[in-house]
Amino acid sequence: MALKIEAASKDIAEIGDKCIVIAFFEDNLKLNKDIASFDKTINNAISNSIKNKDFKAELNEVKSFYVNSKKLDYVALLGLGKEKDFNLNKLMDAVSALSKKLRGMDIKSFSIYFDSFKNKNFDFESYLEKIIQAAALSLYQFTRYKTKDLDKVKRVDRVNIIVNENDANKAKKIVDETLVYAEAVNKTRDLVNTPPNVAVPEYVADYAKEIARKNGLKFTVLDEKQLEKLGMECYMAVARASVNKPRMFILEYNGKGNENPIVLVGKGLTYDTGGVNAKPANYMVNMKDDKAGACSVIHVLEACAKLKIKANVIGIGAMAENAIGGNAYKPDDVLKSYSGITVEVIHSDAEGRMVLADALAYSLKFKPKAIVDIATLTGASIIALGYGISPVLGNDQELVDKIKHAAEKSLDRVWQLPMPEDYEELIKSDVADIKHVNSDIDAGVIVGGIFLKQFVKDAKWAHIDIGATVWAKQEKGYKIKGATGFGVRLLLDFLRER
Ligand code: BES
Ligand code: MN
Ligand code: ZN
């Protein structure tokens, strides 16, 4: 059963559930009137554990106890740390720690007392939103390919959020909308986590087609013959060594009459071996995540339809597999891109930008108001900003600023890197118009951006490099080991803020 999250107004003394959750700040351990009278009904369990320092409300601390009450099995106290240091990231961490702890205790349903999160910086909407996101994202698990011990997998079925009576309607609307976000992230995680022998380009295109059918989106797909015929030599060069043929799909959502669309372009490499410049084994493993950009685009479009957002949005997924074969493209090849620009190949592992060059140029046919691409483009993004922040680059500051703003709201963090004009000499070629990488490893992220920039002409464009943020090696808060779904909340907040 999928996780259900609901908001309801209830008297704290009347909550009948497996567990009730009350949050505290380290520097404000007083019980309000309602909690104090509730505490009396459970033999002062809360005040006692505070008094004897059994619970100190340190950030992410979870203290639970069994209460012998008709209506309740457990009370859980959640620590939020110091009030002045608190923020939305910490809120998500705390609720994630809580959710996973309660799941570990096999508690299938719990109620969160929303009022207990109030503090000087409290904001109803963002607090509610982040609590829901944290619960839904942190309880994610990918078990599709497990066959053993499935009966031992613990699941939470329901999370209730207890709000005041006059906030109930407002809360229900926020819950419904936020669940669309959470579902979009988790479905993106599922698709990215799907192994590369299953999730080949055609599989992902068919998946997108099904999403389109269910949500009333327009769907188009171009196969290898059509891509070839269109003259997408850069895209086809990457794709042609694989038996799993490329697919470029286009999803169209219409929510604002005949306004020019915002086009989202996702890199969709279902596997990246590196090509003839093969990756060493420890760098190749996990390269199924190289399709994450396209996977996010699919679910952002689905969410646009579900939320009925007021914008026209087109999503393009450029699917291919970068394989090794006798007909593979190789360094020194010169290819004519869809835009007409000729490209000298330097390194077959810089394949994402080759595919995107043609997909971006193709996107111009929709006369976009703005183009945003999302791509696992570089390992250099890991060096530049680490696993928690994605580089963003673009040719229009206003557009980049909107993405930065959405990043702050969504908590999918970005940091802008520049594309100085004089760095364009890094992609100067002796034989073709440009080369796709520089011959050294300096400024890897920026060079990726500068290369892509050549193909969008004068359209407003931004590029989000999710090479680092796409995958969680270790579990951390709501980031579960595996695909993170980074960028989905970011793009949705970006589209909705416009
Ligand atoms: N898909 C990779 C980038 C990547 C690396 C994503 C690690 C996630 C984790 C991309 O196609 C790639 O191989 N980039 C090369 C570019 C280089 C050859 C210029 C890289 O970053 O090493
Ligand atoms: Mn590569
Ligand atoms: Zn790649």
Side-chain angles (χ1 to χ4, degrees):
M1 194 172 104
L3 173 67
K4 278 214 175 76
I5 301 184
E6 266 169 34
S9 70
K10 264 182 200 151
D11 187 339
I12 185 165
E14 295 302 319
I15 295 167
D17 201 349
K18 191 86 181 151
C19 176
I20 177 166
V21 178
I22 303 168
F24 284 94
F25 287 96
E26 205 176 311
D27 40 6
N28 183 8
L29 285 161
K30 284 193 292 288
L31 275 55
N32 75 21
K33 214 173 79 229
D34 291 341
I35 298 174
S37 59
F38 168 67
D39 193 33
K40 290 211 181 77
T41 70
I42 54 168
N43 291 321
N44 304 316
I46 300 174
S47 44
N48 282 338
S49 70
I50 290 172
K51 215 177 288 161
N52 56 38
K53 297 207 161 44
D54 211 17
F55 172 71
K56 297 191 199 112
E58 284 165 3
L59 184 64
N60 301 343
E61 183 183 352
V62 182
K63 170 82 196 165
S64 64
F65 30 79
Y66 185 73
V67 291
N68 206 1
S69 139
K70 264 185 239 125
K71 290 193 176 114
L72 271 175
D73 283 355
Y74 291 94
V75 170
L77 306 181
L78 174 62
L80 302 179
K82 292 208 172 68
E83 202 177 314
K84 69 165 176 21
D85 300 333
F86 197 60
N87 58 36
L88 293 175
N89 269 311
K90 288 183 178 167
L91 174 60
M92 286 202 67
D93 280 348
V95 175
S96 300
L98 166 85
S99 304
K100 288 188 273 186
K101 175 89 184 273
L102 297 184
R103 180 179 63 193
M105 292 164 66
D106 213 9
I107 290 175
K108 297 204 180 309
S109 171
F110 57 87
S111 293
I112 297 177
Y113 185 56
F114 189 54
D115 253 12
S116 62
F117 289 85
K118 282 196 172 152
N119 67 83
K120 284 195 286 301
N121 300 316
F122 180 82
D123 170 69
F124 187 90
E125 184 168 343
S126 52
Y127 271 59
L128 184 55
E129 189 182 290
K130 295 311 172 201
I131 288 174
I132 297 160
Q133 289 185 5
L137 301 188
S138 69
L139 292 172
Y140 171 84
Q141 30 199 351
F142 186 68
T143 54
R144 194 187 298 159
Y145 294 93
K146 299 272 190 192
T147 64
K148 297 204 166 70
D149 294 335
L150 280 171
D151 51 326
K152 289 189 189 124
V153 176
K154 292 171 182 160
R155 282 197 179 79
V156 175
D157 296 330
R158 173 182 287 274
V159 177
N160 298 301
I161 303 177
I162 309 303
V163 297
N164 295 323
E165 204 181 326
N166 39 4
D167 292 328
N169 285 335
K170 182 166 78 167
K172 281 183 181 134
K173 185 165 178 271
I174 295 169
V175 172
D176 288 347
E177 290 180 354
T178 308
L179 284 176
V180 175
Y181 274 58
E183 193 192 18
V185 175
N186 284 341
K187 284 172 81 171
T188 300
R189 289 170 164 184
D190 276 345
L191 190 55
V192 177
N193 285 331
T194 302
N197 55 320
V198 175
V200 297
E202 193 179 2
Y203 173 98
V204 180
D206 287 346
Y207 179 100
K209 186 177 182 183
E210 186 60 13
I211 295 276
R213 190 185 64 76
K214 285 190 180 140
N215 294 281
L217 302 168
K218 187 175 168 201
F219 179 81
T220 319
V221 64
L222 302 176
D223 65 14
E224 71 275 17
K225 288 189 201 80
Q226 290 160 299
L227 297 171
E228 181 95 57
K229 207 168 152 206
L230 283 166
M232 297 197 180
E233 269 188 24
C234 290
Y235 189 160
M236 284 308 296
V238 171
R240 73 176 180 233
S242 176
V243 292
N244 300 310
K245 293 302 164 201
R247 294 287 182 273
M248 183 162 90
F249 63 80
I250 301 144
L251 295 164
E252 296 180 53
Y253 167 74
N254 188 297
K256 205 174 180 187
N258 50 19
E259 193 182 89
N260 293 359
I262 295 156
V263 182
L264 307 177
V265 182
K267 171 176 172 182
L269 268 289
T270 59
Y271 206 72
D272 181 10
T273 65
V276 296
N277 298 114
K279 289 181 184 289
N282 54 332
Y283 283 89
M284 195 186 297
V285 74
N286 212 30
M287 273 301 143
K288 63 175 179 183
D289 69 4
D290 216 16
K291 61 183 179 299
C295 299
S296 336
V297 167
I298 295 173
H299 297 101
V300 168
L301 266 285
E302 180 177 40
C304 285
K306 291 202 158 143
L307 296 166
K308 298 190 171 65
I309 72 155
K310 288 189 177 55
N312 291 336
V313 187
I314 294 178
I316 299 181
M319 312 308 300
E321 184 179 85
N322 188 20
I324 301 169
N327 59 344
Y329 86 129
K330 58 195 176 298
D332 296 345
D333 283 354
V334 174
L335 302 159
K336 190 167 182 125
S337 69
Y338 177 69
S339 73
I341 298 170
T342 56
V343 179
E344 178 193 2
V345 177
I346 300 294
H347 197 299
S348 64
D349 200 8
E351 84 298 337
R353 65 197 71 188
M354 299 297 276
V355 169
L356 284 177
D358 284 347
L360 285 170
Y362 186 78
S363 77
L364 296 175
K365 88 174 204 153
F366 299 104
K367 301 198 168 33
K369 204 164 101 172
I371 306 168
V372 180
D373 78 70
I374 175 161
T376 46
L377 206 76
T378 69
S381 63
I382 304 171
I383 312 294
L385 298 173
Y387 290 100
I389 304 169
S390 270
V392 62
L393 305 89
N395 63 5
D396 182 79
Q397 194 53 43
E398 208 183 314
L399 176 64
V400 173
D401 284 342
K402 280 179 181 154
I403 290 171
K404 289 203 252 181
H405 190 254
E408 272 169 36
K409 183 169 189 299
S410 66
L411 305 183
D412 275 345
R413 290 177 291 174
V414 302
W415 193 259
Q416 184 177 7
L417 290 184
M419 288 191 291
E421 234 178 277
D422 58 309
Y423 274 41
E424 304 222 355
E425 69 193 33
L426 293 170
I427 58 165
K428 261 196 190 146
S429 164
D430 294 332
V431 294
D433 295 337
I434 50 174
K435 54 187 183 185
H436 69 151
V437 286
N438 45 340
S439 308
D440 220 321
I441 59 159
D442 48 314
V445 178
I446 294 175
V447 170
I450 288 177
F451 177 78
L452 295 178
K453 181 173 175 260
Q454 313 304 313
F455 299 90
V456 295
K457 298 197 172 145
D458 50 10
K460 293 176 179 170
W461 156 82
H463 159 61
I464 304 166
D465 189 337
I466 57 169
T469 48
V470 60
W471 194 262
K473 275 196 208 156
Q474 273 140 7
E475 184 158 323
K476 189 165 176 276
Y478 62 91
K479 292 186 183 109
I480 306 307
K481 257 191 194 181
T484 58
F486 182 99
V488 170
R489 292 179 301 153
L490 170 65
L491 289 172
L492 281 173
D493 277 336
F494 162 72
L495 291 168
R496 286 180 100 195
E497 295 249 318
R498 301 175 60 95

